[in-house]
Amino acid sequence: MKRTIRDLDVRGKRVFIRTDLNVPIKHGAIGDDTRIRESLPTIQHALDQGATVIVASHLGRPRGKPSGELSLRPVAARLAELLGRPVAFAEDSVGATGKQAIAQAGPGALVLLENLRFHPEEETNDRPFAEALADLADVYINDAFGAAHRAHASTEGIVRYVDVAAAGLLMAKEVEHLGALLAAPARPFVAVLGGAKVSGKIEVIENLISRVDTLLIGGAMAYTFFSARGWPTGSSLVEDDLIDAARGIDTQAAEAAVVLELPSDHVVTGKIEPGAPCEVLHVSDPAIGARMGVDIGPATIDSFSGVITGAKTVVWNGPMGVFEIDEFAVGTIAIARAIANVRGTTVIGGGDSIAAVTKAGVRDRITHISTGGGASLEFLGGRTLPGVAALPDK
Ligand code: ADP
Ligand code: MG
């Protein structure tokens, strides 16, 4: 058990809370604000206890340079709205600007720091940068489960330079839920993977194979596996450099007696746009030509749903198709509904997957919606997350 903010007395202290406020923002307007809402309990708790609260997060991938598009300023406004109190904004996370903003806001105030990744030192976990962040506060709280699989200055390095560190309430909830699942999953245990890319998930898939009974793979991810099996892929998203890795996973699954099920049919189209003509084909059908696969087909929906319905534990990350377009969302929505009907434990992680269960209207029927996509999969694969490991136990 990790020490949490509830175990501390933070009255009158400056509390640095690393949150995951990485929400979609287009032209200054915030899209889905789930991550901001999920961060509120810890922030509110610290404020209620009489702390001065300094909130920090990354947003997108600014590649170590300031960027107007990736400023957290709109998030400060939304935070103020949701909490019903003023939120000061510091134009820079460290240095004189950060310190001044905190001093100016005064005791008991709430300050949001600018995007941590405007500094390249955040992602390189640079020591002076971690020290500069630590220098802003008396207490460090990590509530950014979604960023815990990365050893960055604000998630890992900083812990070495603060006097007191603990997990936030969201972090504690995630570790508790996912930890229980990892320790003793009710079986059959089924993992459903999809989404855009295999890259970055190879290791996760390899780890999951040693834990699950069945692995269902759909979405764009399936096409690298199709290619490995010699099936026609047209212009579907295939990662050529990972075909060997996909073949290796096929073998590994067979050796572990884990069922790895790929789609048997799919929806193909010449264009990813609403109203584009499309057709259902068997996955081995060369009639795909130069078109691309954008959703799983009806036979796959039946088969995947059957496996899911018989499961006692289901973990899902990654949509089954280009669900942003209604015509290609059929497979994803059917799988979301099948998961919602499971009599057992269901866990969903990943921004797009959460959007998909919301679109399917079944969000309330999922046991645990994890704020971390990559982080939750890595955790369930048994990997020690650096951001979690760095935090002290109770
Ligand atoms: P999450 O955010 O849940 O972790 P990802 O970001 O990995 O999921 O993947 C989601 C994206 O994958 C969506 O934008 C979706 O359109 C895309 N996608 C799924 N299937 C396909 C496909 N067959 N071809 C192209 N894109 C796909
Ligand atoms: Mg995504």
Side-chain angles (χ1 to χ4, degrees):
M1 281 280 267
K2 293 290 171 185
R3 178 198 290 158
T4 80
I5 189 170
R6 283 196 208 283
D7 302 319
L8 306 176
D9 178 8
V10 295
R11 177 165 313 279
K13 303 254 170 68
R14 294 170 306 159
V15 177
F16 181 105
I17 308 179
R18 172 54 158 107
T19 51
D20 179 6
L21 301 175
N22 184 26
V23 291
I25 301 184
K26 269 208 185 103
H27 312 297
I30 297 174
D32 180 49
D33 65 357
T34 306
R35 285 186 170 148
I36 303 178
R37 291 173 185 274
E38 297 267 16
S39 303
L40 298 177
T42 302
I43 296 172
Q44 189 68 62
H45 175 87
L47 290 168
D48 290 348
Q49 298 292 305
T52 302
V53 179
I54 302 147
V55 173
S57 175
H58 71 283
L59 179 68
R61 299 175 190 276
R63 294 171 194 280
K65 285 195 295 278
S67 136
E69 280 280 283
L70 294 175
S71 170
L72 277 168
R73 192 179 274 283
V75 174
R78 178 61 59 89
L79 256 184
E81 230 173 271
L82 292 171
L83 290 166
R85 56 155 26 248
V87 176
F89 184 70
E91 308 270 349
D92 194 0
S93 46
V94 290
T97 314
K99 281 198 164 165
Q100 254 164 35
I102 295 163
Q104 227 163 44
L110 171 55
V111 183
L112 175 66
L113 304 182
E114 183 55 287
N115 192 346
L116 291 161
R117 289 192 188 164
F118 283 0
H119 294 271
E121 296 90 342
E122 161 66 357
E123 288 177 83
T124 55
N125 199 359
D126 172 78
R127 177 175 172 161
F129 185 71
E131 285 175 323
L133 291 175
D135 191 38
L136 298 173
D138 308 306
V139 175
Y140 167 77
I141 301 295
N142 190 350
D143 210 24
F145 180 75
H149 57 319
R150 310 263 182 250
H152 291 169
S154 68
T155 60
E156 202 265 347
I158 185 172
V159 181
R160 287 191 277 271
Y161 313 112
V162 290
D163 295 334
V164 183
L169 303 174
L170 175 62
M171 172 72 92
K173 185 173 91 179
E174 292 270 16
V175 171
E176 186 191 320
H177 268 94
L178 299 175
L181 197 84
L182 182 65
R187 295 184 179 276
F189 182 0
V190 176
V192 186
L193 298 180
K197 284 181 172 176
V198 186
S199 41
K201 289 193 182 162
I202 289 288
E203 208 185 326
V204 165
I205 302 173
E206 286 171 352
N207 285 336
L208 280 174
I209 285 179
S210 63
R211 297 179 190 269
V212 301
D213 300 298
T214 303
L215 195 58
L216 304 175
I217 297 187
M221 182 186 270
Y223 291 88
T224 302
F225 287 86
F226 285 8
S227 195
R229 293 186 181 187
W231 299 343
T233 52
S235 54
S236 311
L237 289 183
V238 172
E239 291 175 84
D240 288 321
D241 49 337
L242 292 176
I243 294 173
D244 278 344
R247 204 171 284 129
I249 286 173
D250 254 345
T251 313
Q252 196 197 338
E255 281 166 1
V258 165
V259 180
L260 191 166
E261 191 175 328
L262 292 173
S264 59
D265 61 346
H266 57 169
V267 177
V268 304
T269 184
K271 265 192 199 144
I272 299 193
E273 59 182 42
C278 57
E279 186 184 4
V280 174
L281 294 179
H282 191 272
V283 290
S284 62
D285 193 336
I288 184 173
R291 289 175 293 172
M292 66 190 297
V294 288
D295 196 7
I296 54 174
T300 305
I301 291 177
D302 273 357
S303 173
F304 279 17
S305 301
V307 172
I308 291 166
T309 305
K312 285 278 177 287
T313 306
V314 180
V315 173
W316 182 30
N317 171 258
M320 296 291 103
V322 184
F323 77 104
E324 295 91 338
I325 295 175
D326 287 348
E327 289 97 318
F328 310 141
V330 179
T332 302
I333 292 195
I335 295 308
R337 298 214 167 114
I339 294 174
N341 287 330
V342 166
R343 269 188 277 258
T345 307
T346 50
V347 175
I348 292 181
D352 292 296
S353 309
I354 295 171
V357 281
T358 308
K359 187 167 175 164
V362 296
R363 201 190 158 111
D364 301 344
R365 288 160 59 199
I366 305 301
T367 315
H368 180 61
I369 303 262
S370 175
T371 47
S376 57
L377 284 181
E378 290 196 18
F379 190 99
L380 291 172
R383 190 178 161 234
T384 306
L385 308 185
V388 176
L391 297 173
D393 289 325
K394 241 191 223 317

